Amino acid sequence: KATVSVLNWARARVPWSVTARGMARSLPLLALTSLVLGVLLVTCSGGFGGGARPAERVVLKEVEVVKEVVKVVEKAVPGGAADGGAALRTIFVSVAAYRDDECQETIRELFKAAKFPERVRVGLVCQRDFGVEAEQCYPPEWKDPAHPGHAYNVTLDDRPASDGKGPTWARYLAAELYAEEHYFMMIDSHNVFAHNWDVDIVAMHDTCDTPAGPDKCVLSVYPQPWEQAKEAEGRRDRSHFVAHLCGNGGWTGNYPGPFAGGVTQASSANRPQPFVGAGLVFGRGQLVKDVPFDPHLAHLFHGEEVLLAARLWTHGYDFFSPARNVVYHHYGRSGKPRTFQDARVARKRVEYILQVPLKDQPGSRAVTDADAAAAPAIAVDLPKYGLGTARSIEHFWRYARLDVVKKAHDKVSSYWCSKYGGQPPYSEEWKGDAGYAGYPTSGFAL
């Protein structure tokens, strides 16, 4: 499996051409890739044979091989030359599924709707009942080498659903499959996609209007319902409405979330917003290194998004809702299998990292250092999985218009949703509020 996956990945990265000149240019690169691949497979061969091994160990061995091949190809392939150069900017797509009989079709659609499917590699974590055929996440017909789907780049972490520890933990496993791709994208496992979604989201991302530049831009949203993506003439028609994560929908104990906001007309520019939603996160691949996904949040659901937003923002990232839809989500899914278990320790970890106070008790801490000392899982590995130092958590609360003492957000809709929910040009107050010099500020009034 590792050999096939790596060969397919290397092949997809080589700028193939049907012309004699194009083939001549590709041959040295192919030879170099093959040489490195051979050395790496020999080096790692002890990880793929000789009896049964834990699934995650085998998968991660393979990812290390993929990373080395990608490094060689990236150095040899020039980027940015018209359409061809843009096509070579790879996209890693994180997909985590739990007993999801819609995952197969999501994977098929993802590649089918891409303009350049060869640029896409999926890190797929499939938590399933091995006795239920429909819960296979990888399309079974793609296992046939003669099937066109066999060439698509999917790294599969296949494991029993009984091992599952919730969506946040599964997203950590999927992010571990990242192998130095140019972009990182996170989605759920039950979606449909707009035609040429890959070109569209890259174009929107690379034109982000942030003083920090595209490297620090994150596009994120709760995707529109997939009923709005109607099939017509073999392609998905785009909805004229997009979501904007400009508000907070409530409080989970002492921290905000889930988020809310407005649904508004598609725009010619990305809309600034203070939050991220787990249904779609898109940014440069460096994001995974700057803000690695946390494995210590077992069974966490509410709390995942505010923690990710705070960690990204304090590492210097700015958030936008994409100007147009690229993915549509199946909401509700009545009767589908789900897993809800005790997340009390994970929620305390969220409260501890976010440093939130008890309601109406300024200066207090919902989870104290003494609490963390008594339950080590609350504070484990915080230097790696905690907040950043580019901006403070207090600054984030003011920026987002959240009063974490009173647990209030009544002013949010009158600022973020109304100020940035319309059509461009958009006010530059958010830039001053975020701490960028030379821009006007709103004064952070709550």
Side-chain angles (χ1 to χ4, degrees), residues 62-251:
E62 179 188 341
V63 171
E64 292 307 311
V65 176
V66 175
K67 286 181 180 179
E68 295 305 318
V69 174
V70 170
K71 288 177 185 177
V72 172
V73 177
E74 289 283 6
K75 289 180 180 178
V77 177
D83 203 28
L88 294 172
R89 294 181 189 161
T90 49
I91 302 172
F92 173 83
V93 184
S94 161
V95 182
Y98 179 82
R99 301 196 61 195
D100 191 348
D101 60 4
E102 297 168 12
C103 185
Q104 285 183 30
E105 190 57 29
T106 294
I107 300 302
R108 293 187 190 99
E109 271 255 345
L110 186 147
F111 285 100
K112 176 185 175 183
K115 182 173 183 179
F116 300 107
E118 67 273 14
R119 80 193 293 181
V120 177
R121 188 173 75 87
V122 173
L124 176 58
V125 174
C126 186
Q127 304 162 98
R128 65 186 178 99
D129 182 338
F130 282 82
V132 180
E133 186 176 350
E135 291 183 11
Q136 293 184 64
C137 298
Y138 185 81
E141 70 274 13
W142 288 9
K143 297 175 184 178
D144 181 356
H147 193 281
H150 186 73
Y152 292 143
N153 302 305
V154 178
T155 301
L156 173 64
D157 182 345
D158 209 10
R159 58 180 62 224
S162 57
D163 288 352
K165 297 179 184 177
T168 308
W169 177 78
R171 295 193 213 278
Y172 156 76
L173 294 177
E176 286 290 284
L177 304 178
Y178 170 76
E180 309 294 338
E181 288 81 6
H182 194 83
Y183 298 100
F184 172 85
M185 178 174 175
M186 184 174 81
I187 58 173
D188 286 328
S189 57
H190 27 271
N191 301 287
V192 296
F193 300 85
H195 189 64
N196 294 343
W197 66 266
D198 57 319
V199 174
D200 232 20
I201 198 163
V202 165
M204 288 187 288
H205 178 271
D206 288 358
T207 57
C208 268
D209 181 25
T210 168
D215 285 355
K216 291 293 188 179
C217 167
V218 172
L219 298 181
S220 185
V221 77
Y222 294 153
Q224 290 294 91
W226 71 356
E227 292 84 358
Q228 294 188 13
K230 305 300 182 183
E231 185 77 23
E233 299 180 359
R235 59 188 286 171
R236 299 284 177 187
D237 283 345
R238 296 183 189 279
S239 166
H240 296 295
F241 297 95
V242 296
H244 180 214
L245 290 179
C246 53
N248 180 42
W251 294 81

Side-chain angles (χ1 to χ4, degrees), residues 2 26 42 59 86 104 128 188 200 216 240 253 345 371 409 415 432 434:
S26 296
V42 169
V59 168
Q104 285 183 30
R128 65 186 178 99
D188 286 328
D200 232 20
K216 291 293 188 179
H240 296 295
V345 173
D371 296 329
H409 51 274
Y415 183 76

